[in-house]
Amino acid sequence: MKLSRNNGLRASAIGALVVSGALVLSACGSDDNTGTTPNGGKTSAAASNIKCEDAKGQLLAAGSSAQKNAVDLWVKNFQAACSGVEVNYQSIGSGGGITKFNQGQVAFAGSDSALKEEEVAASQKICKGGKGINLPMVGGPIAIGYKLDGVDNLVLDASTIAKIFDTKITKWNDPAIAKLNPGAKLPDSNIQAFHRSDESGTTQNLGKYLSTAAAADWKHDPKAKSWPAPGGQAANGSSGVAAAVKDAEGSIGYFELSYATANKISTVSVNTGAAAPVAATTENASKAIAAAKVKGTGSDMALSLDYATKAEGAYPLVLVTYEIACDKGNKAETLPTLKAFLNYAISEEGQKVLAEADYAPMPAEIAAKVREIVPTLS
């Protein structure tokens, strides 16, 4: 299978992801507000298809809080199928996960951004004879969540989002917001903007989006995982930002869609220049993710996303979460469990359950390639 044939990749990916987006719509009514296990702790029927192979003992992992709800589902299903196995995923942010991985403390890390060159170089000390590689497993929208009484359908564009998070727009009735929301009863009150306090791939993806779609208004480092702008209020992890927005009138923040759904937080529709503003849904994010190109080489599957898309119905503020593992040099005692768990996560069954938590499966051909790579980890 040749991933360089981008037209074929996009065509097959769009078909697969539109279906997955349709599936997620039926799962969005969850009453769970804990920020974890959106299916109420129930084990999916897909667990019956899991191949445990030689999995045993404990598998430690850490990283992205954006994918935590997805990993929670995988872990429940995997542990239910594989007796005596424990997968412990610490939701500490992408930066923290990569640090632990490169210190040899975890078998794999979750990150909302691909490894930087210096991080790959550092991984070679742990991956004896190999290096850390990026395996895309989870996709979805980064929602801009807000709490504003009387305003149910807020529309913003990249410029206003940039100015809000850069404290250049500080009032909800600012003319720029009012212009995008004719007829809305916008209060003359202060905006409380919340951002991540920890290093985060979600922050980095937001920065990449703003640097691309609102270059004149966002002058900060698009590669920064730590919050780069002045002002605002900080909270730890996606769960912390979501909890802050849920509790504070006049607030706004960013986190992936499952946290908004679980906490019943209203989300912004983005004016991209398309015919109509685009809502933060899995289906709409899928249309953007489907156009991703593989920029990694060999076993590395790092992707390049189009944050400036104006395609109809394509939600541009998206992330892809990678599971980062050694291509060679994994610890012998955890390798069987690592491979079995990642094999399940990228399997058709593992990808299907993502809809239960408002995530999008990987495009069909990308998923197929990752399924070829995981068994070769050594």
Side-chain angles (χ1 to χ4, degrees):
M1 183 175 297
K2 297 182 179 180
L3 289 177
S4 58
R5 297 179 61 183
N6 292 319
N7 290 337
L9 170 63
R10 295 177 187 175
S12 61
I14 290 171
L17 286 169
V18 167
V19 172
S20 71
L23 288 173
V24 78
L25 296 179
S26 66
C28 288
S30 171
D31 291 328
D32 176 79
N33 61 4
T34 64
T36 59
T37 56
N39 65 342
K42 297 178 181 178
T43 300
S44 167
S48 62
N49 297 318
I50 294 174
K51 297 179 180 179
C52 300
E53 302 297 341
D54 296 320
K56 60 182 179 181
Q58 187 180 60
L59 186 70
L60 299 180
S64 166
S65 63
Q67 71 164 4
K68 181 181 185 299
N69 293 335
V71 175
D72 283 349
L73 283 173
W74 288 338
V75 168
K76 279 188 174 292
N77 291 345
F78 189 73
Q79 291 182 166
C82 303
S83 178
V85 174
E86 178 186 355
V87 180
N88 186 337
Y89 181 81
Q90 291 182 294
S91 175
I92 60 173
S94 299
I98 291 172
T99 296
K100 279 184 172 289
F101 176 75
N102 279 342
Q103 291 175 346
Q105 297 180 33
V106 294
F108 74 90
S111 177
D112 309 326
S113 58
L115 290 170
K116 299 177 182 177
E117 289 185 12
E118 59 268 28
E119 292 169 337
V120 173
S123 74
Q124 293 176 320
K125 297 178 182 178
I126 298 300
C127 305
K128 302 300 183 182
K131 63 181 180 180
I133 57 172
N134 303 285
L135 300 173
M137 298 263 185
V138 181
I142 300 174
I144 303 295
Y146 69 97
K147 184 176 183 179
L148 196 61
D149 286 348
V151 181
D152 297 324
N153 299 295
L154 184 68
V155 176
L156 299 175
D157 57 14
S159 176
T160 53
I161 294 171
K163 290 176 180 177
I164 287 170
F165 283 109
D166 204 20
T167 63
K168 300 293 175 55
I169 291 178
T170 60
K171 294 283 188 178
W172 277 112
N173 64 347
D174 187 276
I177 299 177
K179 183 178 180 180
L180 292 165
N181 297 273
K185 297 181 179 179
L186 298 168
D188 182 20
S189 59
N190 292 330
I191 297 173
Q192 296 189 65
F194 287 91
H195 59 262
R196 292 279 291 271
S197 61
D198 53 325
E199 285 197 348
S200 164
T202 311
T203 294
Q204 187 181 57
N205 277 277
L206 174 64
K208 288 179 179 178
Y209 163 69
L210 295 175
S211 295
T212 302
D217 302 303
W218 190 258
K219 300 297 186 180
H220 305 288
D221 180 5
K223 297 181 180 180
K225 291 182 180 179
S226 297
W227 184 250
Q233 302 178 60
N236 187 63
S238 291
S239 59
V241 175
V245 171
K246 181 180 180 180
D247 291 341
E249 173 62 22
S251 60
I252 191 168
Y254 60 95
F255 30 81
E256 99 293 346
L257 183 61
S258 68
Y259 287 91
T261 301
N263 290 283
K264 300 180 180 178
I265 297 172
S266 298
T267 60
V268 167
S269 292
V270 177
N271 183 335
T272 64
V278 186
T281 68
T282 303
E283 182 177 4
N284 291 344
S286 295
K287 294 177 182 177
I289 296 172
K293 299 178 181 179
V294 177
K295 64 179 181 180
T297 58
S299 296
D300 186 83
M301 292 290 292
L303 302 177
S304 177
L305 300 170
D306 181 8
Y307 295 101
T309 181
K310 295 182 180 180
E312 296 300 325
Y315 183 80
L317 185 44
V318 295
L319 62 76
V320 168
T321 297
Y322 302 93
E323 312 312 332
I324 295 168
C326 298
D327 57 356
K328 299 177 182 178
N330 291 283
K331 294 180 180 178
E333 60 269 27
T334 56
L335 179 59
T337 307
L338 171 67
K339 292 170 69 173
F341 181 74
L342 295 183
N343 271 326
Y344 164 60
I346 196 59
S347 70
E348 290 185 12
E349 292 80 5
Q351 291 290 293
K352 283 178 181 177
V353 303
L354 294 179
E356 297 176 29
D358 286 347
Y359 295 94
M362 284 296 95
E365 289 196 28
I366 291 177
K369 182 62 176 177
V370 176
R371 288 174 195 142
E372 292 176 1
I373 294 170
V374 172
T376 70
L377 301 181
S378 63

